[in-house]
Amino acid sequence: MDSSASRGARRLRRDAEANRQRTLQAAREVFAERGLGVNLDDIARHAGVGVATSYRLFGNKQALINELFEERVDALVALADQALTIDDPWEGFVSLLTMALEQLEADRGLREVVFAELGGRPLVAQARRKFMPAADAVMRRAQDAGLLRSDLTTTDLPLISYMVSCVIQHTQPVSSEVWRRYLTIVLDGLHVRPGLTDMPVVALTTAEEEHVASLNASRS
Amino acid sequence: MDSSASRGARRLRRDAEANRQRTLQAAREVFAERGLGVNLDDIARHAGVGVATSYRLFGNKQALINELFEERVDALVALADQALTIDDPWEGFVSLLTMALEQLEADRGLREVVFAELGGRPLVAQARRKFMPAADAVMRRAQDAGLLRSDLTTTDLPLISYMVSCVIQHTQPVSSEVWRRYLTIVLDGLHVRPGLTDMPVVALTTAEEEHVASLNASRS
DNA sequence: AAGCAACTGGAGTTGTCAACTCCAGATAGT
DNA sequence: ACTATCTGGAGTTGACAACTCCAGTTGCTT
């Protein structure tokens, strides 16, 4: 995991490498707080380097975003595997949703990458292919145990997360925690108990669900 | 309800009044489909009039938006009163949420006005004052009947609507109906049945909730 | 039917904002 | 001490939406 040379690129001079790390760190902080919409000038200023330096070191904004969020997205994927290690299938499912949303809560840029409001097309498409099967396993296990409503489909999961993440975004500046109320409501609506309502429509197909994400990506 | 002269403004010439109506109608359609972000040039083109004409007739974009959405917002408010006429308190509550979201589904501009992603500050603040007490009555009636979870607060309602409206927006181009699945889930999570989960945090206060809306308004 | 105030359309102006580059000067490494 | 590498911030480019100007047209009055 050599920080600089991703692909056989010539080694950077010490000062350049330091600036690279400072830019990366600044981007982490600024993207997390203000989203991917910020311009590189702001990030460079926050890092204490010139704009040109940031551009020379990363090429463009998208490359910086990709480099920065690769690990963050992978961490999200790992949650699904962790969830499977929890004994109680329902608790596993709850943990998956809760922990994923907690990750998203802390980082506006990550929300935008994951739900493709900007940037990360290829980045996310790939993560998605790793995430969905794992999440699917968590879901099925809870459904087989009769704890998660059986009419739920894999494609519902991203949309449920998105729905709650919207509340996070909306309420963040006023309260960092109210979103948990709505997660609670949703989880209660997913937990099997007598008298659950029949679903009024079928879920999206996998292809449709991918289409949703890519459509919302093409805005940028 | 004389269409032209809002405030003692001199009567418009017949052709001008016709162009006014055409612009209004075009704006209705374009805003509904593409949101408030579209420019007046597009609206004017769609109306078949010149840009200057639209500007002369309305002054600016915001004025056009205000004029256009006043009645739409009022219609939304009226739903709360209608909901009270439904005998079953739970069905009344379900109807309020469902019908409000159906209104929002059909009009992206309305979603943006109501949730203040653009424009309508004063417009909505006023509607809110009429809407909240009415909605509150619908809620309390269902809670008193033991059908709606008792830990729900008036300020939860706008956020729940917002949450589902985000799914509407996100999935609209792929499926105009999937959002009803998530409404179903949420409603099941709100319906009283044994074993509902305790709320992890208190709801926003009324002031906080208003703050949320106004913060999200100040972007434009 | 003629005259004029009211109106029209679209080319053009203004302002904003983000992405990205240029280059004279500074610095790391040998 | 020498040079390839790197730096910073002023400046360029391009896009885009809000809004205006004005030469020409049209509805209304008498």
Side-chain angles (χ1 to χ4, degrees):
Chain A
M1 214 178 267
D2 185 10
S3 46
S4 64
S6 326
R7 296 168 305 176
R10 203 182 59 277
R11 191 178 205 79
L12 289 171
R13 226 167 68 175
R14 193 171 11 254
D15 54 347
E17 179 60 32
N19 281 335
R20 211 185 122 84
Q21 293 306 325
R22 294 216 282 162
T23 302
L24 230 26
Q25 181 55 29
R28 237 187 293 277
E29 295 170 11
V30 177
F31 282 147
E33 189 173 336
R34 290 157 50 198
L36 304 180
V38 297
N39 56 33
L40 273 205
D41 293 49
D42 277 355
I43 290 173
R45 194 173 315 120
H46 193 255
V49 305
V51 218
T53 302
S54 296
Y55 275 99
R56 206 172 326 99
L57 259 20
F58 293 94
N60 59 41
K61 187 172 159 182
Q62 191 57 53
L64 173 56
I65 291 175
N66 287 343
E67 172 146 359
L68 203 52
F69 285 99
E70 199 145 27
E71 56 178 42
R72 305 284 281 121
V73 170
D74 284 346
L76 225 41
V77 173
L79 291 178
D81 294 326
Q82 280 177 44
L84 279 175
T85 70
I86 296 177
D87 284 342
D88 181 297
W90 173 251
E91 286 308 319
F93 177 78
V94 169
S95 146
L96 173 55
L97 258 187
T98 307
M99 295 186 72
L101 286 163
E102 280 168 355
Q103 298 284 310
L104 294 175
E105 178 202 327
D107 194 330
R108 174 164 171 182
L110 186 60
R111 290 197 290 274
E112 292 177 2
V113 166
V114 168
F115 298 117
E117 290 176 14
L118 237 164
R121 223 90 44 78
L123 185 65
V124 173
Q126 182 188 344
R128 193 170 280 266
R129 264 187 283 287
K130 282 188 286 184
F131 184 75
M132 293 303 277
D136 199 48
V138 176
M139 260 187 58
R140 284 197 198 292
R141 189 172 67 126
Q143 284 177 324
D144 290 346
L147 297 167
L148 175 64
R149 60 189 303 160
S150 58
D151 51 7
L152 206 70
T153 296
T154 318
T155 59
D156 289 319
L157 220 52
L159 285 170
I160 288 170
S161 313
Y162 176 70
M163 189 166 77
V164 181
S165 86
C166 284
V167 179
I168 292 178
Q169 179 99 350
H170 203 62
T171 58
Q172 183 101 276
V174 170
S175 159
S176 56
E177 294 289 327
V178 251
W179 65 269
R180 292 180 191 274
R181 289 176 70 83
Y182 309 101
L183 175 58
T184 301
I185 291 169
V186 168
L187 285 173
D188 277 347
L190 294 173
H191 205 359
V192 165
R193 269 164 299 121
L196 280 186
T197 313
D198 285 340
M199 284 290 191
V201 275
V202 296
L204 296 184
T205 64
T206 307
E208 283 171 332
E209 196 275 315
E210 276 165 15
H211 195 192
V212 167
S214 69
L215 276 180
N216 286 285
S218 58
R219 275 191 235 153
S220 110
Chain B
M1 214 177 269
D2 185 11
S3 47
S4 63
S6 327
R7 297 168 305 176
R10 207 183 55 276
R11 192 178 203 79
L12 289 171
R13 225 166 68 176
R14 191 170 15 253
D15 54 346
E17 180 58 33
N19 282 335
R20 210 185 122 85
Q21 294 307 325
R22 294 214 281 162
T23 302
L24 231 26
Q25 181 54 29
R28 236 189 293 275
E29 294 170 11
V30 177
F31 281 147
E33 189 173 337
R34 290 156 53 198
L36 304 180
V38 297
N39 55 34
L40 274 205
D41 293 49
D42 277 355
I43 291 173
R45 193 171 319 118
H46 193 255
V49 305
V51 218
T53 301
S54 296
Y55 276 99
R56 205 171 328 97
L57 258 20
F58 293 95
N60 60 39
K61 188 172 157 181
Q62 192 57 55
L64 173 56
I65 291 175
N66 287 343
E67 172 147 359
L68 203 52
F69 285 99
E70 200 146 25
E71 57 178 39
R72 305 283 283 120
V73 169
D74 284 347
L76 225 40
V77 173
L79 291 179
D81 294 327
Q82 281 177 43
L84 279 176
T85 70
I86 295 177
D87 283 342
D88 183 297
W90 173 251
E91 286 308 319
F93 178 78
V94 170
S95 144
L96 172 57
L97 258 187
T98 306
M99 294 186 71
L101 286 164
E102 280 168 355
Q103 298 285 308
L104 294 174
E105 178 202 327
D107 193 330
R108 175 165 171 182
L110 186 61
R111 290 197 290 274
E112 293 177 2
V113 165
V114 168
F115 299 116
E117 288 175 16
L118 238 164
R121 223 90 46 78
L123 183 66
V124 173
Q126 180 189 344
R128 194 170 280 267
R129 264 188 282 288
K130 281 188 285 183
F131 185 75
M132 293 304 276
D136 200 48
V138 176
M139 261 187 58
R140 285 196 197 292
R141 188 172 67 127
Q143 283 177 324
D144 291 345
L147 295 168
L148 175 64
R149 58 189 304 160
S150 59
D151 50 7
L152 206 71
T153 296
T154 317
T155 60
D156 289 320
L157 220 53
L159 285 169
I160 289 170
S161 314
Y162 177 70
M163 189 165 78
V164 181
S165 86
C166 284
V167 179
I168 292 178
Q169 179 99 351
H170 204 63
T171 58
Q172 184 100 276
V174 171
S175 158
S176 57
E177 295 289 327
V178 251
W179 65 269
R180 292 181 190 273
R181 289 176 70 83
Y182 309 101
L183 175 58
T184 301
I185 291 169
V186 168
L187 285 173
D188 276 346
L190 294 173
H191 204 0
V192 165
R193 267 163 301 123
L196 281 187
T197 313
D198 286 340
M199 284 290 190
V201 275
V202 295
L204 296 184
T205 63
T206 308
E208 282 172 331
E209 196 274 315
E210 277 166 14
H211 195 192
V212 167
S214 70
L215 275 180
N216 284 285
S218 57
R219 275 193 237 154
S220 109

